[in-house]
Amino acid sequence: MAAWHFRCAIISKIGILKYHKRIPKYLEEYREPDELIYKESGCYFNYPNYFNANFIERIKNSFSMFYIPLPIWGNGVSFSNERDSVVEVFSDDVECKINILDLDVEFLERIIAVAQKNDCIFVNEENGVIFNPTMEDLLNQISTSKKNEFLSKWKQTTR
């Protein structure tokens, strides 16, 4: 994972409601884990799958309107812009990697539009916080992220 990527997931509200019966404030399984604990626990096998094949196909088709789909590992598909921002779609995950060193407003607008069109929410993969697919909420999550804090300090030291 690149130091300049803010990561968030796109998740169907219906998938969350099916499992949790409500939209919680955060999803524990999306909190960035301690890598060693995560690998040793095997807990990732017990997480719920909020996705179904129809939803995944709708998401792929939505992003295909804007970007060329490229096959990636695990039967996934990647959609990327020229500024190193990427959406990766798998059978059990839709992950956005947003280049915060070179924010592409059009890319942000597109992921928001796809999420809204498909009745989805975003989840900050740093802390598991669920937030609405709006420009204001997305930019707020990016600006308060550890990634943004790290990059801000890095920019100051490289001047």
Side-chain angles (χ1 to χ4, degrees):
M1 165 179 48
W4 55 86
H5 280 150
F6 171 81
R7 291 181 22 202
C8 65
I10 298 174
I11 302 180
S12 164
K13 285 182 185 177
I14 292 169
I16 291 176
L17 290 170
K18 182 178 175 185
Y19 187 81
H20 293 285
K21 309 297 185 229
R22 63 180 177 76
I23 303 292
K25 291 184 188 280
Y26 66 91
L27 295 174
E28 184 66 36
E29 63 271 22
Y30 280 90
R31 286 183 185 219
E32 200 168 76
D34 172 278
E35 207 59 36
L36 183 61
I37 292 171
Y38 182 69
K39 286 179 180 175
E40 289 181 353
S41 71
C43 63
Y44 48 89
F45 293 116
N46 299 320
Y47 289 148
N49 183 351
Y50 301 114
F51 307 93
N52 65 45
N54 290 333
F55 173 78
I56 293 299
E57 284 308 308
R58 283 195 324 268
I59 295 295
K60 285 180 187 176
N61 291 336
S62 295
F63 282 112
S64 292
M65 294 172 53
F66 307 114
Y67 305 103
I68 297 169
L70 299 172
I72 56 174
W73 64 277
N75 295 321
V77 178
S78 173
F79 303 91
S80 60
N81 67 2
E82 299 80 32
R83 295 183 179 172
D84 191 36
S85 288
V86 181
V87 174
E88 295 176 340
V89 182
F90 300 95
S91 62
D92 63 349
D93 194 22
V94 179
E95 183 175 310
C96 303
K97 298 175 180 177
I98 300 166
N99 180 353
I100 60 176
L101 282 178
D102 188 11
L103 271 181
D104 181 349
V105 174
E106 185 176 55
F107 183 84
L108 299 180
E109 289 170 342
R110 288 176 175 171
I111 63 173
I112 289 166
V114 168
Q116 290 175 347
K117 175 183 173 189
N118 291 285
D119 198 27
C120 299
I121 50 91
F122 288 146
V123 179
N124 182 332
E125 291 195 12
E126 184 176 277
N127 56 20
V129 170
I130 291 175
F131 61 100
N132 290 317
T134 66
M135 187 64 78
E136 180 182 0
D137 286 357
L138 180 55
L139 291 175
N140 182 52
Q141 289 293 317
I142 290 170
S143 69
T144 60
S145 70
K146 290 178 188 173
K147 289 279 178 129
N148 191 55
E149 180 183 340
F150 169 78
L151 291 171
S152 295
K153 289 177 182 176
W154 174 76
K155 284 180 191 178
Q156 290 173 359
T157 61
T158 58
R159 290 183 187 176

